[in-house]
Amino acid sequence: RCLCAKATCFSPNGKILASGGADLCVKLWSTSSWKNLVTVKAHDNFVTVVAFDAPGLKFLSAGDDQTVRVWHLPRKPTPRNPPKEILRIQDLQSTVIAADFSEDGSRVVGVLAGKQIFVWHATTGTALVWWQFSPFDTTVFADSLWRTGQLALNDHLNAAIVTDSAGNTLTFALLGITAADADKQ
């Protein structure tokens, strides 16, 4: 039985391909042999997003179960040495349709089908900021937001720029929070 992958992402060094889909699992594939390195039961419903952090030490998965999970990626993942879940962000009230790490890996950003964008602390899972947007086309987001340039946070985490498929660009001023304030939470 073949189950289609809904989400895919290459590791930064290109040696691993992560995939996720209807089987509720994240699979890690060797790009040199195209063999499955390890399969991890990741979610209770479809996996909708997979993404690696910039150094390739962690990856995240998200899904229809309204959960984002962050995983530590072992140097050589195998069934005996699988990725370990290090953070679970749950009860999000809506399907996660896109998610990724900030460039420095300290934040996780997610776009929810309920037309919300969240930024969480990547270690604690604390919601640092969130906002609702409307009207806006939530179907435009790819798996890897930071790499496609459709969602960006500035260095101070006090503004976000989002662009939809129609070319509409929205800037969200995140008033009252700085990167230093966010780290205190």
Side-chain angles (χ1 to χ4, degrees):
R1 179 172 152 199
C2 178
L3 295 174
C4 295
K6 172 148 178 50
T8 57
C9 187
F10 284 100
S11 64
N13 66 10
K15 294 182 178 181
I16 296 175
L17 175 70
S19 68
D23 63 358
L24 319 182
C25 296
V26 171
K27 296 180 181 184
L28 301 179
W29 303 88
S30 165
T31 59
S32 61
S33 67
W34 295 110
K35 291 185 179 178
N36 179 254
L37 299 171
V38 66
T39 299
V40 179
K41 167 71 167 77
H43 291 273
D44 296 327
N45 208 327
F46 288 83
V47 177
T48 57
V49 181
V50 289
F52 288 91
D53 70 345
L57 303 174
K58 300 182 283 190
F59 69 92
L60 64 79
S61 61
D64 278 344
D65 62 356
Q66 303 172 3
T67 301
V68 176
R69 293 183 176 165
V70 177
W71 305 83
H72 168 73
L73 182 65
R75 190 177 142 145
K76 293 188 177 189
T78 66
R80 290 182 182 229
N81 189 25
K84 305 256 188 299
E85 183 180 334
I86 55 175
L87 178 65
R88 184 179 301 187
I89 303 166
Q90 56 192 13
D91 301 324
L92 298 176
Q93 310 302 316
S94 184
T95 296
V96 181
I97 59 173
D100 206 349
F101 291 95
S102 61
E103 288 294 324
D104 68 0
S106 68
R107 308 288 185 260
V108 172
V109 64
V111 178
L112 279 59
K115 297 187 177 185
Q116 296 168 317
I117 299 174
F118 279 85
V119 178
W120 299 282
H121 193 282
T123 304
T124 66
T126 302
L128 303 175
V129 292
W130 73 274
W131 58 102
Q132 188 86 25
F133 53 91
S134 181
F136 199 72
D137 182 1
T138 59
T139 63
V140 303
F141 292 98
D143 292 333
S144 210
L145 297 173
W146 299 101
R147 293 166 189 83
T148 62
Q150 293 173 329
L151 174 64
L153 295 177
N154 68 1
D155 291 338
H156 303 290
L157 296 177
N158 61 10
I161 302 168
V162 184
T163 305
D164 71 8
S165 61
N168 300 310
T169 299
L170 303 173
T171 300
F172 296 89
L174 308 175
L175 301 175
I177 187 165
T178 66
D181 293 335
D183 285 333
K184 293 177 191 173
Q185 295 185 10

